[in-house]
Amino acid sequence: MTTVGVVVGAVAALALIVVVGLMLVARMVRNLAPGAARGSHAGADVEAEQARAVLEAETTEARAAARRLVEAAKVEANEVATRLRSRAEEEAARVAADAERAAERARLDAERVAERARQESETAVEKARRESESVVEKARLEAERMVAQAQALAEQAAGDVAARARREAEQAVEGRTTQLNERLADVEQRLNRLDERERRLGEEAERLAARDRRIAVAEADLEARESEVGAQEVALAEADEERRRELSRIAGLTAEAAKTELVGVIEVQAKREAAVLIRDIESDARNTAEQRARHIVVEAIQRVASEQTAESVVSVLHLPSDEMKGRIIGREGRNIRAFESVTGVNLIIDDTPEAVLLSCFDPVRREIGRVTLEKLVLDGRIHPHRIEEVHDLARYEVEKLCQRAAEDALVEVGITNIHPELVELLGRLRYRTSYGQNVLKHLVETAHIAGLMAAELGLRPELIKRGAFLHDIGKALTHEVEGSHALIGADLARRFGESEEVVHAIEAHHNEVQPQTIEAVLTQASDSCSGGRPGARRESLEVYVKRLERIEEIASSQLGVERVFAMQAGREIRVMVRPDDVDDIGAAVLARDVAKQIEDELTYPGQIRVTVVRESRVSEIAR
């Protein structure tokens, strides 16, 4: 359809050009006629007048023919005329302008020619007439040819469209037929599978029926046997009861009393034998200490440390005056809300004179909040926008302090070539405490202890110090990642390229994973030594008192105990026993039982020594 429209538009443009050319020729003839009339030949006026009449008639016919062609072209191109009208108008305007300019030039040339060749007016008129006739004929023929060509192109385009539509329809029919054939084949396959399934279900039903028959026979047989067994059990129960009555009559005790007495005797005998065996083993170990020194030292210093948590979750900031509290709160509380929203730290303002509390479980975030509030108080400008600016500055400063603290700790223990992410996590431990002990300082102390132990045992201090220094690295993420800090730290070390020996020492230092290497055992021992030394850690008074009370209750609940004393802040317990009720072997058994019960029931840093004191006093008076 686009090609037909273009052809029709071209025909219309050519028709307009022909009309314009005819009009120009007629104008030239009219301009030439007066010049010829002014000549000396009177016959030329008549011929010129006739030629002009003929030209006007032919021009009128040409205009009518061109108008008919244009109207036909407009009818045929009605659908595309809207899109091409603007282009045709521009082209017609340009052609008209060109034609006017050409006509002007022709008029000037004609006037000059008329002045030079008035005598040749008749020849010029005749020549003009012939040329006009030729031009009109050519225009008519060209218009007819273009119309025929446009009709042929339109018919060809229509044929192409019909053929393409027919091919598309055939392809659609073929595709639909293929889909129907595929669906028919799929339906046939499903029917075949359904038939096969029905056949299998029939066979399965037959097998189940046969099985039910066999089960019924077996149940009948089983019921008969159960009846026989029941009769035999009744007979055996009667015989057993008769035997028990006879034994009770002979021994003079009931069955329960005899069982209790027998169990007590066996338990006492087993404890005695176990205590004797333990004493013999310890005596043998002391006698062979020189040959087995390294092995005994490693096993003796192994101790499981308790899970560590941060008790300190509050920081105190002193204010220059109580008036500053109102400025911190702000109008309708907007400043304190903005501070808590930006820092993630709870700000507690109470009746405490010239002080506010900052509460947050994350110690790094709490320190950033403290530094932010301190800078705001010193600056005096406290509003939401200023809080955001100061918080960014404080966070940058705290991150630098953490980085510097981690680097100083690494230099102190002599560890190099560690991943930058681990260095950043170590720096965050600068503000983490466990039972009042700074975790980063605890890591440094543990690394030094582990290095000294490794040197004494003839092992590689570098590897053991590295594992001991990184064993609590997981505490930097315990508030962000679920799980034990030992397993979290092992995952971090494995992710950042630490060796398997170091990873195993980290994950095994709290026995989440059973220690398998000497590095893991020494890491446990050095951790216990650092956390268990006097003064290393503190705990709340309430927890401390409850633990002492429970220790004394455990020891006092044992048989033969007279008094219990908790000494050295609960790190040693002395148990006084009655010598008549507890002998030396029983004292050893009692100490082991108390220590075992304390380990199972209590959580405490370091270790607790249990000492059982059995004192026999004999006095006589000399008269």
Side-chain angles (χ1 to χ4, degrees), residues 293-533:
R294 292 188 179 183
H295 183 69
I296 294 297
V297 168
V298 171
E299 290 187 351
I301 63 179
Q302 180 175 269
R303 178 71 173 85
V304 180
S306 62
E307 187 69 21
Q308 300 173 352
T309 57
E311 288 186 337
S312 178
V313 295
V314 176
S315 297
V316 179
L317 179 67
H318 296 281
L319 303 178
S321 64
D322 285 337
E323 296 178 357
M324 188 60 67
K325 293 182 179 180
R327 301 177 62 182
I328 293 174
I329 295 173
R331 182 179 300 174
E332 297 179 356
R334 66 170 187 172
N335 290 345
I336 189 171
R337 287 197 301 269
F339 180 84
E340 293 180 347
S341 175
V342 171
T343 61
V345 178
N346 293 328
L347 187 59
I348 303 173
I349 300 178
D350 52 15
D351 296 336
T352 305
E354 298 182 354
V356 294
L357 302 179
L358 294 94
S359 176
C360 180
F361 183 75
D362 186 349
V364 178
R365 194 162 67 230
R366 186 174 68 250
E367 178 64 17
I368 294 174
R370 189 193 66 80
V371 175
T372 301
L373 186 58
E374 184 178 9
K375 289 181 176 294
L376 290 171
V377 170
L378 292 176
D379 184 60
R381 295 175 295 169
I382 305 177
H383 52 81
H385 181 66
R386 181 61 179 168
I387 291 173
E388 294 179 359
E389 294 178 352
V390 177
H391 175 261
D392 293 337
L393 180 61
R395 181 173 56 187
Y396 177 77
E397 291 182 1
V398 171
E399 288 176 355
K400 287 296 183 183
L401 290 175
C402 292
Q403 184 77 14
R404 189 180 302 114
E407 293 173 354
D408 293 343
L410 289 170
V411 171
E412 183 176 353
V413 297
I415 295 177
T416 58
N417 192 21
I418 193 169
H419 197 279
E421 293 290 339
L422 292 179
V423 176
E424 180 180 354
L425 293 175
L426 286 170
R428 296 171 67 175
L429 296 176
R430 179 176 186 265
Y431 299 103
R432 178 70 187 268
T433 59
S434 177
Y435 290 100
Q437 184 181 22
N438 185 276
V439 176
L440 185 58
K441 293 181 179 180
H442 166 64
L443 294 181
V444 174
E445 185 176 320
T446 303
H448 286 312
I449 295 173
L452 294 174
M453 289 183 177
E456 291 293 332
L457 295 173
L459 303 174
R460 292 185 300 167
E462 295 81 9
L463 181 63
I464 296 175
K465 286 176 67 176
R466 195 179 189 94
F469 184 72
L470 296 176
H471 77 278
D472 275 345
I473 187 68
K475 288 186 177 181
L477 295 178
T478 50
H479 59 286
E480 300 176 3
V481 181
E482 294 183 358
S484 169
H485 73 273
L487 299 180
I488 295 172
D491 292 338
L492 288 172
R494 187 179 292 108
R495 186 190 312 164
F496 294 120
E498 293 294 332
S499 63
E500 284 300 322
E501 291 84 356
V502 173
V503 173
H504 178 65
I506 295 174
E507 65 185 1
H509 81 275
H510 278 324
N511 276 351
E512 280 87 357
V513 176
Q514 193 65 27
Q516 302 293 333
T517 62
I518 190 66
E519 290 84 2
V521 174
L522 286 178
T523 300
Q524 280 188 338
S526 59
D527 182 28
S528 299
C529 291
S530 175
R533 64 177 177 81

Side-chain angles (χ1 to χ4, degrees), residues 460-622:
R460 292 185 300 167
E462 295 81 9
L463 181 63
I464 296 175
K465 286 176 67 176
R466 195 179 189 94
F469 184 72
L470 296 176
H471 77 278
D472 275 345
I473 187 68
K475 288 186 177 181
L477 295 178
T478 50
H479 59 286
E480 300 176 3
V481 181
E482 294 183 358
S484 169
H485 73 273
L487 299 180
I488 295 172
D491 292 338
L492 288 172
R494 187 179 292 108
R495 186 190 312 164
F496 294 120
E498 293 294 332
S499 63
E500 284 300 322
E501 291 84 356
V502 173
V503 173
H504 178 65
I506 295 174
E507 65 185 1
H509 81 275
H510 278 324
N511 276 351
E512 280 87 357
V513 176
Q514 193 65 27
Q516 302 293 333
T517 62
I518 190 66
E519 290 84 2
V521 174
L522 286 178
T523 300
Q524 280 188 338
S526 59
D527 182 28
S528 299
C529 291
S530 175
R533 64 177 177 81
R537 295 181 176 179
R538 61 174 174 80
E539 55 189 340
S540 64
L541 179 62
E542 182 181 0
V543 175
Y544 170 71
V545 172
K546 287 183 178 180
R547 191 178 75 240
L548 292 183
E549 291 177 352
R550 183 55 186 160
I551 290 174
E552 292 181 351
E553 288 178 2
I554 291 173
S556 301
S557 63
Q558 304 295 325
L559 295 176
V561 175
E562 184 177 3
R563 288 175 296 174
V564 178
F565 301 101
M567 307 176 66
Q568 296 185 9
R571 298 185 183 275
E572 181 179 357
I573 178 172
R574 292 188 180 181
V575 182
M576 305 298 181
V577 298
R578 290 186 291 271
D580 296 337
D581 298 335
V582 180
D583 56 8
D584 292 340
I585 297 176
V589 173
L590 179 63
R592 193 172 302 276
D593 291 342
V594 171
K596 180 63 175 176
Q597 189 172 355
I598 291 174
E599 288 180 359
D600 293 339
E601 296 185 10
L602 299 181
T603 299
Y604 50 90
Q607 61 185 8
I608 298 176
R609 180 189 299 275
V610 179
T611 302
V612 177
V613 178
R614 178 179 179 271
E615 182 181 9
S616 297
R617 293 186 182 183
V618 178
S619 60
E620 186 65 32
I621 299 175

Side-chain angles (χ1 to χ4, degrees), residues 276-293 296 592:
V276 171
L277 181 60
I278 291 172
R279 187 176 60 185
D280 293 341
I281 292 174
E282 291 178 351
S283 177
D284 183 65
R286 285 192 294 270
N287 294 332
T288 59
E290 289 296 331
Q291 293 79 12
R292 304 174 57 195
I296 294 297
R592 193 172 302 276

